[in-house]
């Protein structure tokens, strides 16, 4: 076979091979055809030496043409294979944008935190700082420094979880009154939100873990009317401008005088209903003027400084404002419950 015929044969055989090649064979095929050392084209051209001077350029230009042609085919085939791979992927990954989506239930701020946020905002706007304190307390801070000596009957008001000797889970946030006054000189103006623990039997209004917000203000010339004005404003900020407050005499060892603070029932507006047990009033917190003994104990001079303190149950406020009858619902973490508020 002449070199020209050989080239024509290579051309037609290679064309068929390229057309049938898969993507991973394509490179091998390229080498098989054009490799300098053992490619088919060069094998044929090695016969050039035996040709006459006029035949050589003809064969040379045909060889170039065949090479260019086959290279073009190889590239075309590569493109074609790439496209079809892409085609298959596009098909299999096709997204039907008209399909209905999966609804992801968004979370909701728990109503305890909602209530807490509103309480904090109200007192922050009155210039109070927000501080936090330890949930494990010593007997001294939870009781003794608050004028509740060992064996005093008023300890009955706080059924406590005792840890090892002298330590307990705080049964109210009032110990922070002492911590704060020990650390800072007057004037002080703080609220203390936090978790408290009591060995209470669980029922619809009691749980062994709950939250309080303590308030403390100490300065020169602070009077009971400052306390009344502050809590009156608080009640109106939380429950609407028409709210009224009432202060009933009460007893806490660390305040004198002490009061339980009532608001007129915001369900029936004081007429009497199930929520206020027909009294027209709802108790929202304990309060009073800081006892001189407590002031002395932290090194404040009760002749120069007076102050007031109050403590409210956050669960109670959240339940009242959302009309929830059972405290246990607040601790179950059921999203169907939380989502309603
Ligand atoms: N610590 C009291 C309680 O838990 C509430 C209170 C706080 C009363 C501050 C007076 C002043 O019942």
């Amino acid at each position: 076979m002449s070199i020209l015929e050989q080239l024509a044969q290579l051309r037609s055989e290679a064309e068929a091979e390229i057309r049938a090649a898969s993507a991973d064979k394509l490179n091998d095929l390229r080498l098989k055809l054009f490799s300098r050392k053992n490619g088919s084209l060069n094998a044929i051209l090695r016969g050039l030496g035996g040709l006459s001077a006029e035949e050589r350029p003809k064969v040379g230009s045909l060889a170039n043409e065949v090479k260019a042609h086959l290279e073009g085919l190889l590239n075309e085939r590569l493109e074609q294979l790439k496209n079809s791979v892409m085609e298959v992927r596009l098909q299999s990954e096709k997204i039907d944008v008209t399909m209905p989506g999966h609804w992801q239930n968004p979370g909701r701020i728990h109503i305890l935190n909602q209530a807490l946020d509103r309480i904090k905002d109200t007192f922050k706007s009155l210039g109070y700082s927000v501080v936090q304190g330890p949930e494990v307390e010593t007997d001294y801070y939870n009781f003794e420094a608050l004028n509740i000596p060992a064996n005093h009957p008023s300890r009955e008001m706080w059924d406590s979880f005792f840890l090892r000797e002298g330590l307990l889970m705080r049964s109210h946030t009032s110990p922070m009154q002492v911590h704060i006054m020990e650390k800072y000189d007057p004037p002080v103006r703080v609220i203390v939100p936090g978790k408290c623990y009591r060995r209470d039997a669980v029922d619809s209004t009691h749980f062994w873990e709950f939250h309080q917000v303590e308030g403390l203000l100490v300065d020169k010339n602070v009077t009971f009317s400052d306390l009344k004005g502050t809590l009156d404003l608080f009640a109106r900020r939380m429950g609407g401008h028409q709210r009224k407050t009432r202060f009933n005499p009460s007893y806490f060892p660390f305040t004198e005088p002490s009061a339980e603070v009532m608001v007129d029932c915001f369900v029936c507006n004081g007429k009497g209903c199930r929520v206020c047990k027909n009294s027209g009033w709802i108790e929202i917190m304990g309060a009073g003027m800081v006892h001189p003994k407590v002031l002395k104990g932290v090194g404040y001079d009760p002749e120069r400084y007076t102050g007031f303190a109050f403590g409210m149950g956050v669960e109670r406020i959240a339940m009242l404002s959302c009309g929830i009858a059972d405290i246990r619902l607040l601790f179950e973490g059921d999203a169907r419950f939380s989502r309603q508020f």
Side-chain angles (χ1 to χ4, degrees):
M1 219 191 302
S2 75
I3 290 192
L4 287 177
E5 281 165 348
Q6 283 179 46
L7 281 173
Q9 191 185 17
L10 176 71
R11 178 187 173 129
S12 68
E13 278 174 12
E15 271 177 0
E17 270 180 292
I18 291 170
R19 245 178 249 121
S22 59
D24 49 339
K25 285 279 142 56
L26 223 46
N27 216 28
D28 293 345
L29 195 52
R30 196 187 289 274
L31 286 174
K32 188 181 138 199
L33 294 170
F34 304 131
S35 156
R36 220 173 264 268
K37 258 169 93 188
N38 41 20
S40 319
L41 187 65
N42 276 349
I44 295 170
L45 294 181
R46 258 173 228 125
L48 265 176
L51 294 179
S52 65
E54 1 165 325
E55 267 176 319
R56 248 183 251 167
K58 273 200 219 150
V59 173
S61 79
L62 180 64
N64 282 340
E65 194 195 306
V66 168
K67 186 172 184 205
H69 172 68
L70 292 179
E71 264 175 345
L73 280 186
L74 277 166
N75 290 339
E76 242 172 62
R77 178 69 182 154
L78 191 66
E79 255 333 275
Q80 190 189 13
L81 286 171
K82 265 196 212 150
N83 286 342
S84 68
V85 166
M86 183 62 93
E87 203 51 39
V88 169
R89 250 186 88 181
L90 282 176
Q91 275 306 321
S92 69
E93 293 175 12
K94 196 160 138 186
I95 292 168
D96 182 353
V97 292
T98 64
M99 292 262 284
H102 294 288
W103 173 248
Q104 305 285 346
N105 273 323
R108 195 59 74 79
I109 294 176
H110 195 281
I111 57 167
L112 270 182
N113 280 325
Q114 290 185 31
L116 211 48
D117 287 344
R118 287 175 62 207
I119 296 168
K120 283 196 246 176
D121 285 347
T122 302
F123 285 105
K124 276 196 231 165
S125 76
L126 295 175
Y128 286 69
S129 329
V130 182
V131 297
Q132 305 214 24
E135 288 172 26
V136 173
E137 269 298 357
T138 61
D139 185 274
Y140 178 77
Y141 285 102
N142 200 79
F143 295 123
E144 205 75 37
L146 292 167
N147 193 29
I148 316 170
N151 306 317
H152 192 280
S154 71
R155 284 212 178 189
E156 286 253 309
M157 292 166 74
W158 296 276
D159 285 318
S160 314
F161 286 115
F162 289 93
L163 306 170
R164 60 188 156 75
E165 200 58 36
L167 291 179
L168 70 161
M169 304 304 291
R170 69 173 171 197
S171 51
H172 51 177
T173 41
S174 299
M176 275 304 285
Q177 290 186 30
V178 182
H179 285 299
I180 288 157
M181 290 191 284
E182 281 179 345
K183 195 162 166 200
Y184 302 104
D185 287 332
V188 294
R189 193 184 287 206
V190 293
I191 56 165
V192 186
K195 232 190 232 180
C196 304
Y197 303 83
R198 281 187 205 171
R199 207 168 49 82
D200 275 337
V202 173
D203 64 25
S204 64
T205 55
H206 294 87
F207 204 72
W208 47 267
E209 148 186 286
F210 58 96
H211 298 76
Q212 285 191 335
V213 174
E214 191 82 8
L216 174 71
L217 183 145
V218 184
D219 204 344
K220 286 182 179 142
N221 303 319
V222 179
T223 66
F224 199 86
S225 22
D226 295 318
L227 171 62
K228 285 188 76 172
T230 302
L231 295 182
D232 205 59
L233 184 128
F234 169 71
R236 280 184 274 121
R237 286 270 178 88
M238 294 292 286
H241 67 276
Q242 74 282 20
R243 290 279 74 80
K244 292 194 286 276
T245 50
R246 193 172 87 179
F247 289 65
N248 287 359
S250 185
Y251 172 73
F252 298 102
F254 38 92
T255 47
E256 180 58 36
S258 303
E260 59 180 26
V261 183
M262 322 281 285
V263 287
D264 61 327
C265 177
F266 46 81
V267 177
C268 61
N269 280 319
K271 286 188 205 70
C273 69
R274 214 166 50 92
V275 173
C276 59
K277 303 202 181 78
N278 279 318
S279 70
W281 295 93
I282 295 171
E283 193 214 317
I284 54 163
M285 65 176 105
M289 302 304 291
V290 181
H291 198 292
K293 273 195 179 171
V294 176
L295 293 175
K296 261 194 212 134
V298 296
Y300 283 14
D301 179 358
E303 299 298 327
R304 286 182 70 201
Y305 294 103
T306 49
F308 61 71
F310 52 86
M312 63 187 95
V314 185
E315 279 75 6
R316 189 172 161 76
I317 289 177
M319 285 167 74
L320 287 169
S321 60
C322 296
I324 294 158
D326 196 321
I327 193 170
R328 286 166 284 202
L329 291 166
L330 299 179
F331 296 101
E332 278 170 357
D334 187 336
R336 290 169 304 178
F337 170 76
S338 304
R339 227 177 283 134
Q340 296 173 54
F341 305 99

